[in-house]
Structure formats: structure tokens, C-alpha cells
Amino acid sequence: MNFTNPLVYGVPCFLGLILLELAYSKHNKKSKDLYHWKDLAASLTMGIGSTIIAPLTKTIAAIVLFNYVYEVFNPEINGIRTNIMGWESFGYAWYIWLFCQLADDFSYYWFHRQNHNVRFLWAAHIVHHSSDNFNLGTAVRNGWFTIFYKPFFYMWIPAIGFPPEMLVVCLGIEALWQFQLHSVFIPKLGFIEKFMNTHTMHQVHHAQNIEYMDKNHGGFLNIFDKMFGTWKELDENIEIKYGVTHAPNSYNPLVILTHEYRDIWKDMKKSKNWYHKFMYAFGAPGWSHDGSTLTIKQQQKLNKS
């Protein structure tokens, strides 16, 4: 079966909603500083670049990688797709879509969490967090390099029998939900907060307040954050400071894209020990061999003591 990726329709809506939020914020005294023109221009440049690159990589992921994995692990036996573990590969019933979306959300959680826990991945993902503003413009401020390794976190889904095109649609739905989370105008949503990843939870995720950092990695659900100890509710008595502690301090797209890789290289040269070099590249952001910088977990532990 052939399905259209929801993002085909989502991109024009993204631009329209950004313009709507921008216009509203400039006519609202409390939110006039929500958007800054140079920052918005940088975010849109990042978004346009992702829009150009993504179709190429997603075509490779969907047509080559996901289909290859699906074919290998779900060969046709007597005309029926059968998983190598013995069960019949999944069809297109409505409940199968729900299970696929749940599997997608589980993968998104671990993909997103590792983007914060592995510095080399963080170097690609930091682009999304590098703005001091939290708005729908920031939602499209995506790193260009994450899309090269993201599909590998999802390979297990077609491997167990979900059709590749179903997974691609679920990925698109996930992206649509993630976009609209980047708004300060939506308050807490009552009962929905118990199981969904909401706007206030995503504000926590984008904060550089030490108690909020590395929290709320979920896609459209918050259950995996709660299961694995990374969930944090917004405390409305705490003033949020958005962005990252080591910002690029530039609106130049190339600087925004590459500044963390440059910093990794600088840090690797601090020690001749190969283990230290490895940890500067693939350890948690902030790791240092001499304690000169601390990881988020180390900082949070000190903050509690």
C-alpha cells in the first residue's frame, strides 16, 4: 500500500502557524520579545536546509534501509509475509497502526535521549536547542546531520514486521506533534498531562535551568520519561531560561551547525590519552578528564547537595 507522508501537508501549515504566532506576539505586550528577527532568520535557514536534505535521506531510509530490513526479516513464504520469528507480518488494521505509533514513540524517546547523552550526537542536536527563544520558529531549527543517523534507531520496527510505509507515516505524525509543542501560549492541559507530552513539558525540555536539563525526551507520550526517570513537570514559580549553556553566540548558519564539533575537537586535544579523547567525543556532554567541566548529572547531583 502507498501512503503520503503527513509532512507533505505539514510544512505549509508550519509556515502559516509561525506567521500567525509571530503576528500575535508582536501585538501582545507580554510577548513582544518572543521573536527576534535575526534568530528567526537563522531558525528558518536551518529549517529550509533540513527540508532540502530530508527528502534525500528519508528516501534512502524508507526505500532502501527500511525496505531492506523488512525484506530480510519478513520473507514471503507461500505468498505470505512471515517474520523469521514465526509470526505473520503485520497488516494495516487500525490497531496495528496504534502499535506502530507506540513503537515509533518508544524509538523517538531513545533517539532523543541519546542525542542529549552522547556528545557527538549532541553536536548535531544542539542546533535545535541553540536559540534563546522558545517559539514555533524554534521548532523548525533542526540540525542537518541528525537525519543521517536517526533511521538506525527505528530499524527494529520493520524488522519485527511493521510495513516500512506505515513507519514513515508514523514518523511524520510524530514530527507534526513535535512542531506544535513549541509554544508558550498553551497552558497545562489537565488530564491530558498524565500521559501526553505537552507544551509546558516541552518548555522544560528546552530550558537551561539546571533542574530542568535532560528532561522530557518523549514524542507525543510522556510514559517513557516516567518509566525511565527523565520526566519533569513545569514549576510555574521558576523563571525559565531557554537555550544552552554553551551557545554558538552567532546567527551564522554554518557556525550554528558546526560549533559543537569544533569544541569537541578542541577538547580532544586537551589530553594524549586515547580513552580521554574517546570520552570527549562519545561521553556525556560536559565530561572532562580533569573535572574542569561537569556533565548534567554531576551538576544536578551537586545542586541537590
Side-chain angles (χ1 to χ4, degrees), residues 87-104 157 160-163 166-167 170:
W87 58 75
E88 186 176 328
S89 304
F90 307 125
Y92 298 94
W94 65 268
Y95 55 88
I96 299 297
W97 281 94
L98 294 181
F99 282 122
C100 187
Q101 193 71 68
L102 183 63
D104 165 84
I157 299 177
I160 66 172
F162 288 100
M166 179 182 286
L167 173 57
C170 289

Side-chain angles (χ1 to χ4, degrees), residues 16-63:
L17 289 171
I18 289 170
L19 290 173
L20 183 63
E21 185 182 59
L22 173 62
Y24 177 78
S25 67
K26 293 303 179 183
H27 288 84
N28 188 317
K29 291 182 179 180
K30 294 182 179 180
S31 58
K32 279 190 174 182
D33 294 329
L34 185 65
Y35 279 87
H36 295 106
W37 295 113
K38 289 184 178 180
D39 182 78
L40 176 60
S43 295
L44 291 176
T45 301
M46 298 294 100
I48 291 169
S50 294
T51 302
I52 294 171
I53 296 171
L56 301 176
T57 56
K58 285 180 179 177
T59 297
I60 294 172
I63 296 178

Side-chain angles (χ1 to χ4, degrees), residues 181-197:
L181 288 179
H182 296 77
S183 177
V184 296
F185 295 119
I186 309 298
K188 289 186 177 181
L189 299 175
F191 176 74
I192 293 176
E193 301 267 335
K194 293 186 179 298
F195 59 95
M196 298 291 288
N197 185 26

